Amino acid sequence: MAVKQQNKKNTVQQKPQKKSSLQSNTLQVPHWAIYAVLAFTVIIYLRSFLNGFVNLDDDIYLFNNPYSKNLSFDTIKIIFSSFYDCNYFPLTLLTYMIEYSLFGFNPMPYHIINVLFHLVNIFLVYKLAEKLSGKSLTALIVSLLFAIHPMHVESVAWTAELKDVLYTMFYLAALIVYLLYLKDYKIKYYFICLILFILSLLSKSASVTLPVILIVFDLYKSRKLNVRMFLEKVPFLALSVLFGILAILSQQDAMKEVSTSFSFIDRIFMLSYSVSFYIVKLIAPFHMSVMHYYPNSDMLPWYYYASVPFLLVVAWLVIRRSALRRELLFGMFFFLIAISIMLQLISVGDTITSERYSYVAYFGLFYIAGQWIAGIQKKSLQKTILFGYWFLIIVYSVVAWDRIGVWKDGVVLFNDVVKKYPDRYPAYWMRGNIYYKRNDYQNALNDYNKSIQLFQKYAPSLAARGKVLLKGFNDYQNALRDLTQSIQIDSTVAETYSDRGMAYAQLGDSAAGLRDFNKALKLNPKLSKGYTNRAVLKFSMGNTQGALEDMNKAISLDPNDSEAYRNRAGIKNLLKDYNGAIEDCNKVLTIDPKDKIAYFNRANTKFNLKDIDGACEDFHKALDLGYAPAADFVKQICNK
C-alpha cells in the first residue's frame, strides 16, 4: 500500500510538459485528402491536354531528334554513351523514344504523361512531408502548394521539361527511402536510395544536389555526427562529382560568360537577385515568363541592389524565430542547396532565372509554411490562417490555369514573352523562328527586323533574316548581305555558311557556293542539310555522281530527311534507276504521307516504267493535295 500511495503521490505531483508550438494538437486530415489534392490538380491541368508543342526545345528533343524515332537496342546504347544537345539525360531520351513509338507526334499523350508524373510527385511530396513532420496537416499544406503553384506550371505544361518531372520523381523517392533507412539503418534501404539517385541523375544532372540534402536530413533528424554518417555519403558524392563533370563537358558549347559590362560586384548582386527572385515569386507569382533575361543596361536595375538587404532581412527572420528556427533552417537549406546549381554562376543562355528551377527547391519553403500552420497553438488563429491559406490556393489555382493556357503553342508563348519584355531582341528572334517553322515568312521577317532594330549586330537574327529572305522571298541579294554580315560577327556557325552557299548558287556564283558548302561541312561534318544543299549544287554543275554521294551522306546522317530522299529520287530517275527512285519516293511518303511533290515524282517514274495506271493514280493524288503542275499530266495522260 505504501508503494501504491507513493506512486500516486508521484503521479499527482508530476507537472504536465509544456507543448512547443510544433507539438500542438494538430488538426487531423482525413486519409482521402491527398486523393482530393490529386483530383483537383487534374482539373487544373486538364487545360494542358489541349495544348500543342511550343517549338522551344520540343523540336530538338522530339521532331529533330534522330533517336526518338528509332527505339532499338543500338539506339539505346548510343543515348547512354553520348551527349545530346549539350545534355546527358539518357533516361529522359529513352522515355521520349517510348512515347514516340506509342503516340508519334500527337501532343496530347505527351502532356498527359507529364501531368501523370506530376501527380506521382505530388503524392511523393505528401509522403515525404508526412514522414519528416509526423503531421498529416503539414503534408496536406505542402503537397497542395506543390501541386498548383504557378511557378511549377513550366515544369509540367512544357513537354520538353519531361526531364524535370522525371528526375524529381526519383529524387523524392530517394529521400523517402532515406528516411526509412534512418529508422533502423537496414542496408537494403541504403542501396535502394542509391539506385533511385542514379536513376534521377540519368534523368537530369540537376539531381547532383541530393547527397548534400541527405546530410541536411541527418541534421534535421538529430542524427549523431560520426564517421559512418559521412562514409555513407561517399558513393553519393562520387556519383555527383561524376555526373557534374559530365554536365560540364556536355554544356561546354552552350556555356558563355556574362557580358563583360558586368563587374564582379554586379555579379554578386545578380546572385542575390536570383535567390530573391524565387523567394518573392513563391508568395507573389507575378510577371511570369518562360524567359527572364539578364539586365541589358550598364547599371543594374534598383531591385538587384535591393535584393541584398531583402535577403539580410530574411536571414534575420530565420535566426530570430526560435520556436521555428529548426524548421526554418531545414527549409531554407533545402531550398538553397536545391536551387544552388541553377543560379547561373556560369552563364548558359540569355536568362538569369527560370521558373522551372523552383520545382524541387520550393519543397523546403513549402515545408516551412506547413510546419508553421500545423504548429500554431491557438485554434482560432490556426483556423484564420488556414482560411487565408485556402484563399491563396484559389488565387494560385486561377493564376496556374491562366499560365497553362500560355503554353498552348509557340506563338502564344512568345507573345507572352514579348509582352513582358518588349525591348529584348532575343524574344523577337525566337518568335520569328517559330513563325519560320510554320512557313509564315512575313511574320517571321517582321520579328527578325524588330530583333535587328533592337540590336543591329545580333548574328542569329541576321542569319535568320537571311534564311527567310532566301527561302521565303527569293530575295537572294539581300539574303547574301545578311548572311555575310552574320558570318563577319560569328564565323563559327556551319548552317550560316550553308545558307550563304545557297544564296551564291541562286545568284549564279557556283564556285563561291561550293566554297561555302565545303566550309560549312568542315565546321560541322554532321550537318546533313549541308550535304543536301551541296548535292543540289553539284548536280547543277553536272557532277551527278558527286551529288548522289552527298545525298547518300545526308540520308545516313538523318534517315528521316524527306527532302534528301526526294532529291535523291530525282537523281536516280535521271540515271534511269527507276526502282531506286520509287523506293526513295516511298520513303518520303512514309515520313510525310501528304508530300505532294513525292507523289508527282513517283508518278513520273512510274510513267517511265510504262505503269500508266500507277502513274495516273499518283498524278491524281498530287493534284488532290494541291500540286497544280499535276493537272496537265492528268489531262494529257490520264484522260485519254
Side-chain angles (χ1 to χ4, degrees), residues 369-383:
Q371 283 289 77
W372 170 57
I373 296 173
I376 294 175
Q377 286 255 16
K378 196 173 181 180
K379 291 303 173 185
S380 60
L381 177 60
Q382 188 179 61
K383 289 179 179 178

Side-chain angles (χ1 to χ4, degrees), residues 547-559:
L548 187 60
E549 290 173 1
D550 274 353
M551 286 299 180
N552 291 338
K553 182 65 175 179
I555 289 170
S556 70
L557 290 169
D558 185 0

